[in-house]
Each structure stands twice: as structure tokens, then as C-alpha cells.
Amino acid sequence: MVAIRAPKSHRAKRELLKHAPKLVETGKKTLVLHGTKTSAVLNSVLADLFHLKRDNAVKYSKKNENIRPFESGGETSLEFFSLKTDCSLIVYGSHSKKRPNNLVLGRTYDHHIYDLVEVGVENYKSIESYVYDKKLAPKLGSKPFFAFIGEHFESVEELKHLKEVLLDLFKGEVVENLNLAGVDRVFVCTAISPTTVYLMHCALRLKRSGTSIPRMELVEVGPSMDLVVRRHRHPAESLKKEAMKTANHAKKMKNVTKDPVQGKLGKVYIPDQQIAKMALSNDIKGLKRERREAKKNKEHSKKQKTNVE
Amino acid sequence: MAEAAAPPAAAATATNYEVDLGNLMAYDPSHHLPAASSSREELRKECLRKGTELAQAVADALFALPATEDRDGPMVRLPPPTTRLPREKHLPRPKPPTKWEQFAKMKGITKHKKNKREWDEQTQTWKRTYGYDRVNDDKDIPIIEAKATDEPGVDPFAQRREEKKKRVDKQEKNRLENLKKAAKVGALPSHIQLAATALPITGTKADIPKKSRKKDLEDVAGMASSATASGGKFDEKLPGEKPPKNPGKHRQFLPVVEGKGMGNKEKQQNDKILNALLSKSSEDQMDVGRAITMYKVKKEKQRRKDKEKSSSSNKLKPQKKSLKKSSKKKA
């Protein structure tokens, strides 16, 4: 037996409808959480990351047991949290002797783990430690610039992956139209070694340059940290192909070609009319003549027979 | 001096930068950090310098885009990003047509809009076509005229209500079927869940066999294991099989030596048998009714015997003659 379970209130229904898959996605929500053990540094890192993304993020403040994203079976609760909060970016902090100040950056597809990058945090400087003119402070939800520096982002597989994850994590809402007055922050990521990325968060100060293009000036506003790549997991090839689909891919124009001479050309297919399935009445107009002739023939043959007799 | 130096530097290196304007990202793949910058402060400055260059590269491309003046500032339309990022969820899947939609398509039935309100002749007012207090509401009919086909003893109002309920139930069932079909292809509306309520039960309660208890099963197993000529003595036992718990009746051997309780039992049993035998001869009470019938039966038997004897003596002679002769003789 199966019962239909639908939300009782309209508000709950609206909330659930927001979780529905969209043709064109606008942005991903971030879930920030930590394991059973953390450090002061990690607490601060997670708080700062949440602060940067707090317009579109959820932070869990309690301990979470049994989360080991890289082990099989250890990702179940993460996937559940992702489903529960409708988040597809996960920032998980844990601290152990083997991996101190560990940060796992993960993405989900359809509430299942898509890929994971594990980094260790070093040389961390929190937002509070920076002193600057508060007028420059980036606004919440503004679209950031990204600056990636260093050849390792191309040559080293891990950093290439990390670059993509960082871009996804911080890029914010997906927009088509951008207000140029709202450009106020930049993430500077430098690959200082094949395993280490120096991440900085800076405010942008637009200065007059005499032309229409302003001169950029960077003011560090924090946080800044070194991310040392530890473990990482790529998505499966089939899953990647599935996840990279876009609305344009799905809506392929069929049977339309463009010809330089004739212009736009279309092929029209007429579906099978299924005449055999059509319901027929007894007196179809199209068969009138045939019926008449058949009748005539019958009478004719009868007459002939009588004549013979 | 810095201002003078910046534009030519940007122009020179712009070709080396990869700028993805859709993500507002710039990447310098050719940069080598000077090995000398060992101190943190130097590294920071170097990164900031390079970062400024890259931000400038993004800004150059961004501010060159055609902008439309808005109330809040100049707006530009961003090109699609070149760095492709994965989706969060799958593409929305098309909902499969319901059974009615399939049927309607086959028959060429098209949906047309109905008015929300209609004129109600009975009350002479405009009423909604649905819900409470609607036009032609079944519940509002005060009188149902009797027909010739009506069965006596049936409440037409109750019948109407029941029919309506049946229709509603049927619709709910159809809805569930359509949702199940949608769930199969993963196109269930996100606010609806299909939850299992109970295991499927077919038939009525009487059809379900009673759950056999452990003892019943053990009894049956014991009987089956001892259902051979040797009483299951030479059968091979399965690994883990226990001896049957109910192997049947045993003969009870009573103690030969006399004593109390069990020791006394054999004497009692023998006494019982002896008494029964002795009482049969001693206490032969007279049943008068039975005696009379016995006497009568005896007498009857005797008479029949005598008759047979007399008839057997005349057997050799023919009957008619004998009768005459015998009568003569007797006379």
C-alpha cells in the first residue's frame, strides 16, 4: 500500500517546491559543519567561510559523528544533510593528529557526493585580524572576481581540481546581468608550491584612471590561509557527463538546418496515422460508390441466374 | 610612476592571461614565483601585485562590455562562462501523461476553460461551479422524485451520497496510479512523496492462514521423522536436527516390589481387573423385561422347530394328496 504524502500548509509546499530541480540553476547553497573534534583555528576558519557566504549557507554548530567523506559508508550522513538543507556545496572541518586542521570541500549532485578535495589549513589569518577602512568592506552577496596565479593550477591534477572547487564555492549567485557599481571583491589564489595554495580575500577599490576603465586597487580584508591539498576524489566520468548537462543540451533543435542559399530549412515528419486503429462507422461516405456497385453486381448476377433457369 | 607602468604591463601580459568573463575569473598560467620570496610578507606583496594585475585584466574586459545605464548603476550583460561547472541537480524530467491525458489525446478531446461562476436557476443567483454552495449541488436538492424503477426501502439521498463518495475514491485511486507512474521515471512533483503505509494484503482476513506456533511445527516435525517402519531409528539426522520432542506414548513398567504410591499401583490395576471379572458372575441381576423377551423368543424357536419336523415327514408325498390322505387318516 502506498499513500500520498503532501505538505499540509501552503508555506511548506512553497518551501519544498524551491527544492525542485530547475532548468537553469541560479546558485548553490553551502553547508558548513564540523566533526567530533575541531581546533580553535578550524572553528575560526569555518566561521569566516560561513560569514563570507552567509546569504546562501547553512551552518551546523553541533558535533557530527560518523562523517568520513572519503571512506565508503562515511558519506551517508553528509548526503542526508545535503538533502535536508538542500545544500550542494559542503565545507566539513575536522581535526586529528594525522590530519590537523582538516577541511573537506565537497560538491554534491542530486544529493550524492560528486567530488571531494581535502585540504589542510596553515598560516591562517582571520577576518578580525585585518584592520582597514570599513567603507571598503565588500557587500554581502556581491559577485567576486577571481585571480588564479601559478602554473601548478594547470600542471598538477589536485590543484586543477581545487581551482574548480574554489571557483564553485565562492562564485556566488549565477547572474546574467551585472551591476558594475557592485564590483567590490576579489579572491586571489596563488599556487606557491605543487601542493599549496595561498588564498586571499581582498576588497577592490576602483580608482579613476582617466579612461572609462577604472584602475583596480586591492585591499586585503581577510581571511587568508594556505591550503595544503591532502586527498581528493574526482567524480566518475559518467556522473560528470550527467552533471555537466545544461538546458541547451536538453533542448536540441531537431530537423532544422540552415542553408546559405535557401535559408532556414525544416524537415516535417508526419506521424503514423494508425488507420487500423480508427473506429469505423457502418456508413462511410468514401465507400458509397463501392457499396452501390457491389449491390448492383449482386442484383445483376441474380438476374442472370434467373434467366438461366 | 606606477600608474604609468601599469597600463603597458597589463597590455603586454594580457595575451598570456586566460580571462573567463562569465565567472569574472582571470588566470595566469605562466607565472613563476621568485624563489627568493621566502618571507611571508614578501610573498603576500607579490601575490597582491599579481592579483591586482589579474583583477585589472578582468576589469578591462568587463568595463569594455556595452553597458546600459540603470537607476542603480551601469549594467552589463555577462557572456556565458567558459569554465563549465557541474549542475546541482538533474535536469527537470518531463511528467508522463496521465491515463486520462493519453485517452483524451487518442480521442482528440481538448480541454476548454469553464467559467468560475454560473447562473443558478434554483436560487436565482450567481454561484461558483465548484466547492461549497455551488451550482447544482447534490446536497442542496430537497426533493427527489420517485421513479417506477425505484426499489422500495432504498434512501435515494443516501444512495446519491454513496455514489459521490465512490466517484471521489475512484479519482483518488487514479491519482495515485498516475503519481506512481511519474515516480517511476523520477518526475514526481518535489512537494509530493509516496510513502509505504503497510505491506500489501490481498483478500480478507479469513484467507490469511493462521500463523503456526513453534510447538505445532515441532510436533509435525517429530511425527514426520518417526513415520518410518523403524520409527525413524535408522534415519540419518540432518546437521543440527534435534531429537523429536513428542516421540509418542511409552509403555510404563510399574515397580514389582510393593510399596506406597507407584508401588501400590500394580496391585490396584490387578484388583480392578479381578473385580470386573468376579462381579460379572456374582451380581447377575434379573432384568424382567429382558427375561420375558428371552422366554418368548425361546418358545417361538421351539414351535418353529416342531413345525419343521412335522412338515419334513410328509415331504416325499405330493402336497395336495397328502392333505387329503392325512385328513382321511385323521378322520
Side-chain angles (χ1 to χ4, degrees):
Chain A
M1 291 293 282
V2 173
I4 302 167
R5 271 178 59 190
K8 296 250 166 27
S9 66
H10 265 276
R11 189 176 168 200
K13 185 181 171 183
R14 252 179 282 135
E15 212 50 46
L16 282 176
L17 281 173
K18 275 182 205 162
H19 294 194
K22 296 185 195 87
L23 200 63
V24 179
E25 288 176 346
T26 51
K28 296 176 174 184
K29 271 169 84 180
T30 312
L31 176 65
V32 181
L33 75 171
H34 57 80
T36 45
K37 209 181 147 204
T38 56
S39 60
V41 169
L42 205 59
N43 281 339
S44 184
V45 169
L46 291 177
D48 280 359
L49 288 181
F50 176 66
H51 181 75
L52 288 181
K53 299 194 49 80
R54 72 185 186 285
D55 58 330
N56 214 358
V58 177
K59 189 167 191 290
Y60 279 4
S61 55
K62 286 185 184 172
K63 289 180 194 176
N64 294 290
E65 274 185 344
N66 298 327
I67 296 182
R68 278 174 286 280
F70 283 93
E71 291 166 28
S72 70
E75 74 274 21
T76 41
S77 45
L78 266 188
E79 287 174 357
F80 173 71
F81 294 148
S82 151
L83 178 69
K84 189 103 176 155
T85 56
D86 195 33
C87 290
S88 60
L89 290 166
I90 290 164
V91 178
Y92 170 69
S94 65
H95 180 72
S96 67
K97 198 172 178 183
K98 193 177 179 187
R99 297 193 182 89
N101 299 329
N102 204 36
L103 209 62
V104 179
L105 310 173
R107 292 185 284 182
T108 66
Y109 173 70
D110 254 351
H111 305 301
H112 289 290
I113 297 291
Y114 176 76
D115 63 352
L116 295 164
V117 186
E118 190 178 53
V119 290
V121 178
E122 285 170 11
N123 300 326
Y124 171 69
K125 275 179 91 180
S126 72
I127 293 177
E128 287 91 60
S129 64
Y130 285 90
V131 182
Y132 57 93
D133 183 11
K134 291 294 173 196
K135 273 182 199 164
L136 285 172
K139 306 281 183 298
L140 182 66
S142 66
K143 193 96 174 134
F145 280 17
F146 288 92
F148 287 96
I149 306 157
E151 56 188 344
H152 299 308
F153 278 122
E154 213 163 52
S155 56
V156 183
E157 195 63 27
E158 283 95 337
L159 292 198
K160 205 173 171 185
H161 191 188
L162 181 64
K163 179 185 164 208
E164 199 191 313
V165 172
L166 284 175
L167 181 64
D168 211 355
L169 183 64
F170 291 116
K171 79 174 195 298
E173 208 176 330
V174 178
V175 289
E176 253 188 356
N177 296 318
L178 183 75
N179 188 347
L180 291 179
V183 171
D184 60 358
R185 66 167 90 194
V186 59
F187 286 98
V188 182
C189 309
T190 318
I192 53 177
S193 81
T195 55
T196 317
V197 172
Y198 179 25
L199 175 71
M200 292 160 96
H201 180 222
C202 303
L204 277 175
R205 190 193 261 163
L206 307 187
K207 290 248 174 155
R208 280 204 193 89
S209 66
T211 59
S212 64
I213 300 162
R215 192 163 57 81
M216 294 288 145
E217 212 177 85
L218 268 58
V219 180
E220 216 182 340
V221 294
S224 80
M225 59 189 111
D226 280 1
L227 304 174
V228 185
V229 177
R230 284 172 182 159
R231 290 179 286 180
H232 81 132
R233 194 168 89 194
H234 270 299
E237 206 53 47
S238 58
L239 186 67
K240 192 174 177 182
K241 203 176 166 192
E242 172 79 24
M244 287 297 183
K245 274 183 186 169
T246 56
N248 303 339
H249 275 249
K251 226 178 160 185
K252 206 173 170 186
M253 196 71 127
K254 265 186 170 181
N255 307 325
V256 176
T257 49
K258 273 191 181 159
D259 196 282
V261 183
Q262 290 164 301
K264 205 173 179 184
L265 286 176
K267 274 185 203 167
V268 178
Y269 292 95
I270 295 169
D272 185 17
Q273 294 192 10
Q274 296 186 317
I275 297 162
K277 274 192 178 176
M278 230 156 70
L280 297 179
S281 62
N282 285 329
D283 50 345
I284 303 161
K285 277 188 180 173
L287 293 173
K288 251 182 179 173
R289 190 199 288 158
E290 283 172 35
R291 248 183 279 139
R292 210 189 302 136
E293 276 170 6
K295 213 174 175 183
K296 236 184 214 171
N297 283 345
K298 222 177 177 182
E299 280 171 15
H300 200 67
S301 59
K302 260 186 189 174
K303 269 179 193 171
Q304 276 186 341
K305 269 183 189 174
T306 47
N307 289 346
V308 169
E309 279 169 13
Chain B
M1 208 178 98
E3 277 175 41
T13 48
T15 46
N16 290 342
Y17 298 158
E18 292 172 12
V19 178
D20 175 8
L21 209 49
N23 285 322
L24 301 177
M25 185 189 80
Y27 172 43
D28 179 9
S30 60
H31 185 71
H32 283 278
L33 280 171
S37 66
S38 51
S39 91
R40 190 77 189 166
E41 193 53 36
E42 272 176 41
L43 180 71
R44 193 182 81 90
K45 275 189 179 150
E46 173 68 18
C47 287
L48 274 179
R49 193 188 62 75
K50 199 71 202 164
T52 314
E53 270 179 32
L54 284 166
Q56 190 65 50
V58 176
D60 285 350
L62 185 68
F63 283 82
L65 287 173
T68 52
E69 204 58 39
D70 199 71
R71 199 181 47 178
D72 302 322
M75 297 285 274
V76 290
R77 198 180 173 79
L78 291 177
T82 49
T83 318
R84 303 249 325 270
L85 295 169
R87 289 179 67 84
E88 179 184 18
K89 283 161 196 161
H90 61 79
L91 283 165
R93 296 181 182 119
K95 186 173 79 73
T98 63
K99 212 156 184 192
W100 162 254
E101 279 165 356
Q102 272 176 355
F103 177 76
K105 200 186 168 199
M106 195 183 80
K107 285 278 173 188
I109 301 165
T110 47
K111 209 173 176 177
H112 56 89
K113 279 210 164 180
K114 269 197 282 185
N115 285 334
K116 262 192 172 183
R117 282 171 181 276
E118 267 175 20
W119 181 253
D120 191 21
E121 292 290 340
Q122 272 187 336
T123 54
Q124 295 291 305
T125 48
W126 288 94
K127 280 187 170 181
R128 276 184 307 252
T129 54
Y130 54 88
Y132 173 71
D133 193 24
R134 65 167 172 270
V135 175
N136 296 329
D137 195 350
D138 273 0
K139 285 175 189 165
D140 286 347
I141 295 173
I143 297 161
I144 300 171
E145 287 203 16
K147 279 177 278 179
T149 52
D150 279 353
E151 275 181 47
V154 177
D155 182 5
F157 294 99
Q159 207 178 358
R160 255 169 198 259
R161 249 178 282 135
E162 204 162 290
E163 273 167 12
K164 168 83 183 170
K165 196 168 178 294
K166 262 185 200 164
R167 268 177 282 148
V168 170
D169 286 348
K170 190 175 169 236
Q171 175 53 31
E172 197 60 21
K173 209 187 95 201
N174 290 347
R175 180 178 166 228
L176 182 63
E177 286 304 313
N178 287 326
L179 283 176
K180 270 189 202 167
K181 215 167 73 177
K184 231 176 223 177
V185 294
L188 205 64
S190 73
H191 69 286
I192 283 175
Q193 279 185 315
L194 293 181
T197 52
L199 290 171
I201 293 169
T202 51
T204 57
K205 230 178 181 180
D207 290 344
I208 307 159
K210 209 175 165 189
K211 206 180 171 189
S212 39
R213 284 172 300 179
K214 193 183 173 190
K215 194 179 171 293
D216 299 338
L217 293 174
E218 274 172 357
D219 285 355
V220 172
M223 273 185 232
S225 69
S226 60
T228 58
S230 61
K233 195 177 179 183
F234 302 109
D235 285 3
E236 261 183 45
K237 289 267 187 294
L238 291 170
E241 189 185 340
K242 285 170 190 167
K245 279 199 172 168
N246 273 2
K249 272 184 187 171
H250 280 290
R251 196 176 151 199
Q252 201 175 20
F253 293 99
L254 294 167
V256 191
V257 185
E258 249 182 69
K260 277 180 182 174
M262 276 292 271
N264 211 12
K265 214 169 186 182
E266 204 190 22
K267 200 187 170 192
Q268 282 173 3
Q269 278 182 358
N270 289 341
D271 272 351
K272 212 178 168 186
I273 295 164
L274 200 65
N275 283 341
L277 285 172
L278 289 172
S279 65
K280 211 173 189 181
S281 52
S282 65
E283 294 176 80
D284 211 341
Q285 279 179 333
M286 182 114 148
D287 188 351
V288 183
R290 207 180 160 202
I292 293 167
T293 44
M294 270 173 84
Y295 176 70
K296 275 184 181 171
V297 168
K298 238 180 192 174
K299 218 181 171 183
E300 188 76 15
K301 268 185 183 168
Q302 190 63 45
R303 209 171 56 202
R304 230 177 254 168
K305 238 181 204 171
D306 294 350
K307 236 186 189 175
E308 248 172 67
K309 261 183 190 169
S310 61
S311 64
S312 65
S313 55
N314 304 334
K315 244 180 190 175
L316 292 169
K317 290 161 191 173
Q319 267 192 338
K320 271 188 180 176
K321 278 177 186 174
S322 68
L323 269 172
K324 278 175 187 174
K325 272 176 186 174
S326 61
S327 57
K328 274 174 190 174
K329 268 180 186 174
K330 273 176 186 173

